[in-house]
Amino acid sequence: MGNVTLVMTRQPLTEFLWLSDHYEVIDDEAERTHYFGVKNATTGKRVGGDKAARGAKSGQWGLMAVVEGPVVTAASRMTLAGVLDLLKSFAQRPAAVNAKPQVEMISLAGRNVSLVTDGSAPLKKLAEFDTMERYRTDSSKNSWYVRLPPRPFKPYPLDISQVDLVAGFHQKMKVRKGQAGKCLRVRDHDVKQSNGAMAGILLHEATNPSWLTGCISPRTKNNRQLSSDVKPCVEALDVVYRAMGTARRAHLIIVD
């Protein structure tokens, strides 16, 4: 099995509200004002807004590409010339025998993304998924949930884990029989919860943002309509698990 890298972007911004039976995409500032009101310059709180939005869960859509082959050390939306300048900083990194750092291009969210690799194997794009994350907090639509920050030049390590909270979701949705709790855990991050403890950031299935508090849920593309269908989420993660094979390790790069 080759190296597996997940390349994710949250741009362009696509936020939504989960209104129990569907996702209401918020397209522009006028709709944000309609749902969330306006920010009071003195208190910092939002005033007005649609009452239905106050108790609704807020989420954000993103996109993720799955690539395999060489070790990917960085990702950038800069021009090719700009990325070539970055290669000097990676020249001292350990690489496979006879490997030479190089830049390869993929398309993500309608834009080119340059990947700096160690050149040890051909790069292959396996799939492209939608991603779901929690966005604004429930109590204050002017605050945001914890999340992984973009880190285009230092990939986050991922490994397969078993987590009880994820197992509860699997059992409720009757999926992952014999593998309840299987998910990807993000390592080597410094994201903390509001109480100061390190956040446990995972990639796992989720039918709606109520199951996500800092975690990321991939799903097969063009399945943003129904908030009750878990199958697209299972299928997306299965692609990643199969690519990882017995190595059980992968990396995540977030470019925004």
Side-chain angles (χ1 to χ4, degrees):
M1 295 291 178
N3 300 283
V4 178
T5 305
L6 312 182
V7 185
M8 175 180 159
T9 181
R10 301 182 178 114
Q11 298 297 328
L13 172 63
T14 307
E15 68 169 302
F16 65 87
L17 286 173
W18 175 48
L19 300 177
S20 297
D21 61 343
H22 73 286
Y23 305 118
E24 183 68 28
V25 175
I26 301 172
D27 292 315
D28 51 36
E29 287 304 318
E31 287 196 357
R32 288 185 181 88
T33 300
H34 168 75
Y35 283 110
F36 306 132
V38 295
K39 185 177 179 181
N40 184 293
T42 303
T43 65
K45 296 181 179 180
R46 287 188 175 268
V47 180
D50 192 320
K51 290 183 178 179
R54 295 177 189 175
K57 298 290 187 295
S58 167
Q60 180 179 0
W61 294 114
L63 286 168
M64 173 184 288
V66 183
V67 300
E68 71 171 358
V71 174
V72 179
T73 56
S76 174
R77 285 180 163 178
M78 296 191 306
T79 63
L80 181 59
V83 175
L84 289 174
D85 289 337
L86 294 173
L87 290 177
K88 297 177 183 177
S89 66
F90 298 101
Q92 304 303 318
R93 296 191 179 193
V97 177
N98 297 324
K100 294 182 179 180
Q102 61 186 49
V103 176
E104 304 200 45
M105 202 83 71
I106 63 169
S107 176
L108 182 63
R111 296 177 61 183
N112 288 332
V113 177
S114 299
L115 304 181
V116 180
T117 80
D118 68 353
S120 60
L123 182 78
K124 181 180 180 181
K125 184 177 178 181
L126 299 179
E128 187 171 315
F129 303 136
D130 289 324
T131 60
M132 177 192 287
E133 294 178 274
R134 199 77 164 261
Y135 193 46
R136 301 174 188 265
T137 59
D138 299 339
S139 58
S140 170
K141 292 300 192 291
N142 199 42
S143 301
W144 284 263
Y145 268 90
V146 296
R147 57 169 50 196
L148 283 175
R151 208 167 77 177
F153 304 126
K154 186 180 179 183
Y156 294 103
L158 303 172
D159 58 36
I160 297 175
S161 295
Q162 301 291 132
V163 176
D164 289 343
L165 286 175
V166 178
F169 174 80
H170 288 162
Q171 291 161 1
K172 179 180 177 63
M173 302 302 295
K174 298 180 180 180
V175 296
R176 299 277 176 220
K177 294 181 179 179
Q179 297 181 323
K182 185 177 182 179
C183 59
L184 294 170
R185 183 180 293 277
V186 181
R187 305 290 186 183
D188 188 29
H189 68 78
D190 56 5
V191 178
K192 294 183 178 181
Q193 304 177 54
S194 58
N195 61 7
M198 293 301 296
I201 307 293
L202 310 171
L203 276 69
H204 63 82
E205 297 89 349
T207 49
N208 61 67
S210 69
W211 293 99
L212 301 168
T213 51
C215 298
I216 301 168
S217 180
R219 59 175 60 197
T220 52
K221 286 190 70 175
N222 303 317
N223 285 290
R224 297 184 177 185
Q225 293 78 31
L226 296 178
S227 60
S228 59
D229 190 3
V230 72
K231 184 178 178 182
C233 307
V234 174
E235 291 177 345
L237 281 168
D238 278 346
V239 170
V240 179
Y241 294 145
R242 284 195 298 268
M244 292 172 71
T246 56
R248 300 176 64 86
R249 296 299 298 268
H251 287 85
L252 169 67
I253 300 180
I254 300 178
V255 288
D256 280 355

